[in-house]
Amino acid sequence: MIALDRKKAPEFHQVNNIKFLKPKSISLKNDIPLHTLSGGTQKIVKIDFIFNAGLWYQNQPLIAHATNALIKEGSKNYTAYEIADGIDQYGAFLQSDVSFDQASVTLYTLNKHLKKVLPFFKEVICSPLFSEKEFNIYKNNALEKFKVNLEKVSFVARSSFMNAIFGENNPYGRSPQISDYENLSLKEIQQFHANFYNLSNCEIVISGNVTPAIITTIDDFFGQENLGKNNTSNPNNISQSTNNNKIWIEKKGALQSAIRIGRQLPNKLHEDYFGLQIFNTILGGYFGSRLMKNIREDKGFTYGIGSGITSLQNGGYFFISTEVGSDVTNQALTEIYKEIELLQKEEVSLDELNLVKNYLLGQILKSCDGPFNMASLFEGVHFYGLNYDFYNNYIQAIKEITPKTLLALGVKYFNKSDLTEVVVGKV
Amino acid sequence: MINFEKFTLKNGLKVIVHQDKSTPIVAFNMLYDVGARDEDKNKTGFAHLFEHLMFGGSINIPNFDEPLQKVGGDNNAFTSNDITNYYITVPKDNIETAFWLESDRMLSLAFTEKSLAVQRDVVIEEFKQNYLNQPYGDVWLLLRPLAYQKHPYQWPTIGKEIAHIENATMKDVKAFFYQHYLPNNAILAVAGDVETKHIQSLTEKWFGDIPAGKVPLRNLLKEPQQTEERRLKVERDVPANAIYKAYKMCSKTHQDFHATDLLSDILSLGKSSRLHSSLIKEQKLFSEINAYVMGSYDDGLLVISGNLSENIDFETAEKSIIQELEKVKSEMVSKTELTKVKNKIESTHEFSETSVLNKAMNLAFAELLGDANDVNLEGEKYQQVTPEDILRIANEILNETNCSTLIYAKSNNK
């Protein structure tokens, strides 16, 4: 037997055969678009109702979140308790969420209980009540949570950063204040619901073990409903960009400073988007990134540092995020800028680039694993008017990108003078 | 149902293989039977610090992460009071890379001074980030020593204090490694589109020649039965008053565990649960309230924690919790209410089985606690719990003489 050479890595293959689960798209009797991603081994489904009712559509902070939370708290025919109990009774989970552009209401259930749970879910979707009583409970408890969040340096940094890069008048940027909770009005929540939660402003995505019977059931429950008036006209004006801000916020006694550095960037419809994602990965997008290697693994300044690019329907942004020891805040900032500048000055080596390429392809493979992950990928392109070609193009872009292109992107988008810096901690 | 096959190498490494042909990803989970409970009380936080050092290069491979990233894989690890668990996900064609990397760090680490110095700093920052620089972050640093007077659950995995991490030496690191990081102290679970035969030959190839060692006998102090009410009050610069009540309960392997878990679910799982509907919605005494079991391998805790609504005093708040507990102690829960929490267990289980990584982890944990096949029997054990069981357990544990209460008050200068 030949002795094992433990220094030598085993043979490996670059990922090159990624299978995307195809969506099937139909319409309910009343024309609500329904998309299904069927797969997996368990008899379970996830049902997403997605509305264009995210932060972008609100004229004041908190309205989108409050509406999304309160639709679960009582309806025409059931109290808040009855709805919660009706869903809990069958082991199902009701979740609702607000993102920058959209709001969703999601039901997770075993297939065998779907028909028993749907009457309650339908009440949430079609006839929420928005009672004064539930509104007050929500308002008080949300304010308490907000006050706790204000004590976290990371929360304050994130909120100030979004405000700084998008500006106070852009709904992506306006961050809530305590007074916004006090001024929250039930009337406006009801109005927001009427405008943005009607079924004509909605698409349904079902993933998991989606059988024809389930589709029929959904059509029976929702296909007869009146669609309501589509009123998605966007009330908001596009961004003002405010660059090169330096914002330092004091938090007395803080042991760590939260740092956010970044800027607005184009969204996934832009030709530079894939390159920017790859650039970001090298800089701070994975455990072996430049920032992690330097600021955590060499200097020990932080438990973690990362960066990301978020695509929005009406914009996008790049951010670096970390919490570092108070005493090393300035050194950490110097090192962060040093790493950014390095990517503007020196081409990344082929070794490093190949590693990142293989890593990203592996991540894409993982992100396609199972119907629930595929539903996220589908939603990630569908609402931009794109399809899976986007991911195939991304794979192609990863394979083809060169150190030169990355350097050029660094020069184009990552000048220090274009970056906003927010630090919250002991100043 | 998770089907699996199991074998053991000559050196004692146990291996579990689960085939799931539906996924292109393989999960590779290595569990070591060592956690914070195995630490010296003067050198706490060590199991977790050590977990960080496992990424600082091994005897033949200078960097753990890079070769894995290069083949499209990803990994992480966590330490609890009971175990240390390392997991990798990798495209199935490149599974051998996981064997290569994981076996080399079981064989021996590089033990560089640089890695120790940096990871000490990183862990100290982690200590600050999660325990000191967060509102309510130090709760477990306070509550554990109150609830446990003898058993090593009296400190959290991060450690009792930063000084313990600062003082860790290379000598400690090496001693810890040679005592605990042995094939006969580990369980490997592999899940994905794999053949047992292939996994068997890879395991033999990469782990077969790692010598077994002598694992120190675990001889932990048993926590004596609590007989008196324990209370601690602290003031902190936080926006809301909070209360934490920790009741002693059985270990995860005890026959009463499933019923106790369901009892905590009746109290607080979902918005229709008792504490949520009564204390938040009806009486408006809390802005947030939760009850949960710790699921620890030795005798554990059932914890109730809540943030008080503005202008509610501690006495009123605590009384309202105790009232709810008295109800569950004096009136049998209905079949419907019990079925509700059982249904939640069933669906949570079904959803968790959509991930090969979850399946690999659960198989390894179950094997450590006795038998990997217990993952398939859990559901039935929950279904068998009766309203009488809930009533009996509520009366056994939900007593103030069995409780440690932490009153976490906002300071007045706020």
Side-chain angles (χ1 to χ4, degrees):
Chain A
M1 192 178 134
I2 312 157
L4 196 54
D5 183 359
R6 287 186 174 274
K7 293 198 187 322
K8 195 166 165 274
E11 298 279 317
F12 72 95
H13 309 277
Q14 190 178 63
V15 172
N16 60 12
N17 182 21
I18 302 182
K19 285 193 193 114
F20 295 97
L21 197 57
K22 290 254 179 328
K24 281 196 190 122
S25 297
I26 58 158
S27 297
L28 300 191
K29 290 189 202 86
N30 55 2
D31 291 338
I32 303 177
L34 169 75
H35 314 279
T36 62
L37 294 128
S38 188
T41 48
Q42 315 301 115
K43 292 203 164 42
I44 52 183
V45 282
K46 172 178 185 242
I47 302 174
D48 277 317
F49 276 65
I50 299 168
F51 300 88
N52 291 310
L55 298 182
W56 180 255
Y57 298 94
Q58 66 185 11
N59 288 318
Q60 287 181 54
L62 307 179
I63 300 287
H65 277 288
T67 310
N68 186 256
L70 282 170
I71 55 172
K72 294 175 291 188
E73 303 296 335
S75 69
K76 232 159 58 191
N77 298 306
Y78 298 119
T79 64
Y81 177 83
E82 284 168 338
I83 288 178
D85 192 55
I87 302 232
D88 286 343
Q89 190 60 52
Y90 299 102
F93 293 88
L94 174 63
Q95 190 182 306
S96 67
D97 245 321
V98 177
S99 68
F100 288 100
D101 297 305
Q102 281 152 336
S104 60
V105 188
T106 304
L107 179 72
Y108 297 86
T109 181
L110 301 181
N111 289 12
K112 64 180 181 185
H113 293 317
L114 177 66
K115 279 189 180 166
K116 286 169 263 178
V117 178
L118 275 180
F120 300 99
F121 185 62
K122 186 179 171 183
E123 288 278 311
V124 172
I125 299 288
C126 298
S127 28
L129 190 63
F130 298 105
S131 74
E132 191 78 37
K133 180 185 149 217
E134 294 294 342
F135 168 70
N136 285 324
I137 294 173
Y138 169 79
K139 190 170 81 169
N140 292 336
N141 294 345
L143 174 59
E144 289 302 311
K145 281 189 190 103
F146 181 68
K147 284 189 202 158
V148 172
N149 279 332
L150 285 182
E151 297 300 313
K152 299 176 183 167
V153 288
S154 57
F155 179 88
V156 177
R158 179 182 184 277
S159 168
S160 312
F161 171 76
M162 294 304 287
N163 199 285
I165 61 166
F166 284 106
E168 182 68 17
N169 295 322
N170 182 312
Y172 292 149
R174 173 136 185 230
S175 43
Q177 312 293 325
I178 286 183
S179 58
D180 292 318
Y181 284 87
E182 285 152 3
N183 299 332
L184 195 58
S185 127
L186 182 56
K187 269 220 172 72
E188 283 180 41
I189 291 169
Q190 287 163 331
Q191 192 54 51
F192 189 83
H193 183 265
N195 286 346
F196 300 108
Y197 278 82
N198 49 66
L199 291 175
S200 58
N201 191 29
C202 164
E203 297 196 31
I204 306 170
V205 179
I206 310 183
S207 47
N209 184 251
V210 193
T211 60
I214 285 178
I215 295 171
T216 307
T217 304
I218 295 294
D219 205 1
D220 290 346
F221 267 87
F222 294 96
Q224 329 283 346
E225 289 297 309
N226 189 341
L227 290 187
K229 190 170 140 262
N230 191 349
N231 186 7
T232 55
S233 64
N234 166 27
N236 291 296
N237 283 326
I238 204 91
S239 54
Q240 83 203 44
S241 165
T242 43
N243 286 329
N244 195 24
N245 278 324
K246 265 196 190 210
I247 297 170
W248 285 58
I249 297 171
E250 174 151 27
K251 172 96 173 65
K252 270 192 192 135
L255 299 172
Q256 288 188 317
S257 307
I259 298 174
R260 289 258 168 172
I261 292 172
R263 60 163 296 173
Q264 286 199 39
L265 277 187
N267 71 7
K268 61 176 70 165
L269 299 174
H270 193 276
E271 57 180 8
D272 286 339
Y273 185 77
F274 295 140
L276 286 168
Q277 283 289 357
I278 299 162
F279 183 98
N280 170 68
T281 306
I282 296 167
L283 176 64
Y286 73 121
F287 198 91
S289 71
R290 299 271 183 105
L291 290 174
M292 272 297 258
K293 270 198 179 136
N294 180 344
I295 287 142
R296 173 174 145 140
E297 293 297 306
D298 187 57
K299 309 287 188 313
F301 288 162
T302 181
Y303 176 44
I305 181 165
S307 68
I309 292 174
T310 305
S311 173
L312 309 171
Q313 302 270 3
N314 303 287
Y317 63 98
F318 157 77
F319 66 95
I320 294 170
S321 161
T322 184
E323 282 157 74
V324 302
S326 294
D327 50 332
V328 293
T329 305
N330 281 314
Q331 285 160 273
L333 286 168
T334 308
E335 293 300 325
I336 290 170
Y337 289 118
K338 207 191 269 177
E339 291 300 339
I340 296 172
E341 277 157 31
L342 200 60
L343 284 172
Q344 294 182 302
K345 279 190 195 132
E346 278 178 32
E347 283 185 8
V348 44
S349 74
L350 283 178
D351 267 358
E352 184 179 359
L353 183 56
N354 284 333
L355 182 150
V356 166
K357 288 181 177 198
N358 290 346
Y359 173 74
L360 281 172
L361 293 171
Q363 291 304 107
I364 296 175
L365 184 73
K366 204 171 152 183
S367 71
C368 296
D369 187 16
F372 301 136
N373 283 324
M374 274 314 303
S376 305
L377 286 193
F378 169 75
E379 290 167 16
V381 288
H382 177 71
F383 294 104
Y384 285 83
L386 302 166
N387 57 30
Y388 287 165
D389 287 347
F390 176 83
Y391 298 112
N392 288 317
N393 294 339
Y394 186 29
I395 291 167
Q396 204 54 37
I398 291 169
K399 289 183 174 168
E400 286 171 1
I401 199 158
T402 64
K404 257 197 183 53
T405 312
L406 288 164
L407 187 87
L409 288 170
V411 172
K412 184 170 172 190
Y413 290 103
F414 293 89
N415 294 319
K416 192 176 172 184
S417 58
D418 293 331
L419 298 174
T420 291
E421 170 188 308
V422 176
V423 178
V424 181
K426 210 169 85 184
V427 177
Chain B
M1 178 77 183
I2 307 179
N3 294 308
F4 63 90
E5 291 184 82
K6 197 157 88 172
F7 58 90
T8 306
L9 298 193
K10 280 202 188 87
N11 59 18
L13 177 66
K14 289 181 186 158
V15 186
I16 301 159
V17 184
H18 161 63
Q19 190 181 59
D20 177 348
K21 285 183 172 288
S22 75
T23 166
I25 299 289
V26 175
F28 178 105
N29 189 80
M30 183 69 84
L31 166 66
Y32 286 95
D33 185 4
V34 60
R37 65 177 165 166
D38 299 304
E39 292 162 352
D40 179 326
K41 67 175 189 295
N42 298 311
K43 290 178 181 177
T44 66
F46 205 83
H48 168 252
L49 172 64
F50 191 85
E51 174 217 310
H52 278 244
L53 297 171
M54 284 286 278
F55 295 88
S58 54
I59 183 94
N60 296 295
I61 309 169
N63 183 302
F64 183 86
D65 292 291
E66 274 177 28
L68 186 63
Q69 287 151 358
K70 200 167 148 189
V71 306
D74 213 348
N75 78 101
N76 213 329
F78 63 83
T79 307
S80 75
N81 291 75
D82 296 313
I83 57 161
T84 313
N85 192 58
Y86 300 84
Y87 54 95
I88 293 172
T89 52
V90 65
K92 72 172 179 191
D93 289 346
N94 298 336
I95 179 68
E96 188 162 1
T97 303
F99 280 88
W100 170 59
L101 289 166
E102 200 63 76
S103 64
D104 202 52
R105 66 179 178 179
M106 183 187 280
L107 186 64
S108 181
L109 292 184
F111 296 118
T112 67
E113 286 292 344
K114 164 93 184 177
S115 171
L116 176 59
V118 169
Q119 292 309 318
R120 266 195 306 243
D121 287 348
V122 169
V123 170
I124 288 169
E125 291 306 323
E126 181 179 358
F127 201 130
K128 291 187 208 160
Q129 184 171 324
N130 294 336
Y131 292 81
L132 305 178
N133 206 38
Q134 291 288 339
Y136 315 99
D138 63 346
V139 161
W140 286 103
L141 290 166
L142 301 164
L143 197 51
R144 282 188 173 275
L146 191 65
Y148 291 100
Q149 296 182 333
K150 293 270 190 269
H151 190 279
Y153 283 165
Q154 64 185 251
W155 56 84
T157 50
I158 195 75
K160 277 184 202 170
E161 49 187 294
I162 284 181
H164 284 189
I165 296 156
E166 282 169 341
N167 294 336
T169 66
M170 188 54 87
K171 200 175 145 219
D172 298 329
V173 170
K174 286 189 176 168
F176 196 85
F177 180 81
Y178 292 118
Q179 278 190 336
H180 298 289
Y181 281 72
L182 297 164
N184 46 321
N185 201 35
I187 296 164
L188 170 64
V190 181
D193 188 3
V194 294
E195 302 289 339
T196 303
K197 256 202 173 140
H198 184 221
I199 297 302
Q200 202 153 7
S201 77
L202 287 174
T203 317
E204 285 290 354
K205 176 177 172 185
W206 291 104
F207 288 92
D209 65 356
I210 299 174
K214 196 163 172 272
V215 180
L217 201 63
R218 183 174 282 136
N219 193 8
L220 305 178
L221 292 169
K222 189 164 165 65
E223 184 65 20
Q225 168 108 36
Q226 183 175 338
T227 52
E228 80 297 341
E229 192 179 348
R230 293 178 194 159
R231 300 184 78 81
L232 173 68
K233 181 173 180 176
V234 296
E235 276 196 13
R236 294 286 189 273
D237 196 6
V238 290
N241 288 323
I243 184 168
Y244 300 82
K245 293 180 77 63
Y247 296 86
K248 294 275 170 53
M249 63 169 277
C250 63
S251 72
K252 200 171 179 176
T253 47
H254 193 279
Q255 58 187 16
D256 282 342
F257 178 79
H258 304 88
T260 316
D261 193 16
L262 290 177
L263 168 63
S264 75
D265 289 347
I266 285 167
L267 291 173
S268 107
L269 184 67
K271 286 191 164 181
S272 71
S273 64
R274 294 185 174 203
L275 296 182
H276 187 92
S277 62
S278 168
L279 305 188
I280 297 182
K281 284 301 196 65
E282 282 163 32
Q283 303 185 57
K284 304 182 181 71
L285 300 173
F286 287 87
S287 66
E288 217 174 311
I289 192 151
N290 284 298
Y292 52 93
V293 301
M294 300 288 284
S296 47
Y297 293 5
D298 294 319
D299 288 354
L301 298 172
L302 184 157
V303 183
I304 299 174
S305 67
N307 284 16
L308 279 60
S309 296
E310 185 112 45
N311 302 322
I312 300 298
D313 63 73
F314 278 111
E315 207 188 320
T316 311
E318 189 172 7
K319 222 195 248 164
S320 74
I321 293 177
I322 293 173
Q323 256 167 14
E324 284 304 320
L325 301 184
E326 287 306 320
K327 263 187 228 160
V328 81
K329 283 160 70 178
S330 56
E331 295 161 33
M332 190 106 73
V333 298
S334 70
K335 279 248 164 65
T336 320
E337 191 174 9
L338 187 56
T339 304
K340 175 168 75 175
V341 289
K342 287 180 180 177
N343 282 345
K344 283 261 178 187
I345 295 275
E346 184 192 3
S347 62
T348 305
H349 179 78
E350 289 297 311
F351 276 93
S352 85
E353 288 202 0
T354 57
S355 145
V356 272
L357 180 58
N358 274 344
K359 288 193 277 189
M361 279 187 191
N362 289 336
L363 285 165
F365 300 162
E367 180 64 23
L368 178 67
L369 289 177
D371 184 355
N373 193 46
D374 285 346
V375 294
N376 295 317
L377 308 177
E378 281 287 284
E380 189 47 37
K381 286 181 186 162
Y382 279 105
Q383 292 305 325
Q384 278 167 7
V385 172
T386 63
E388 288 81 4
D389 294 329
I390 301 283
L391 187 72
R392 172 178 59 84
I393 287 164
N395 277 285
E396 276 172 25
I397 66 175
L398 298 177
N399 301 310
E400 292 311 295
T401 51
N402 188 42
C403 180
S404 301
T405 302
L406 172 63
I407 300 289
Y408 203 101
K410 58 178 172 182
S411 44
N412 287 328
N413 58 18
K414 188 94 192 152

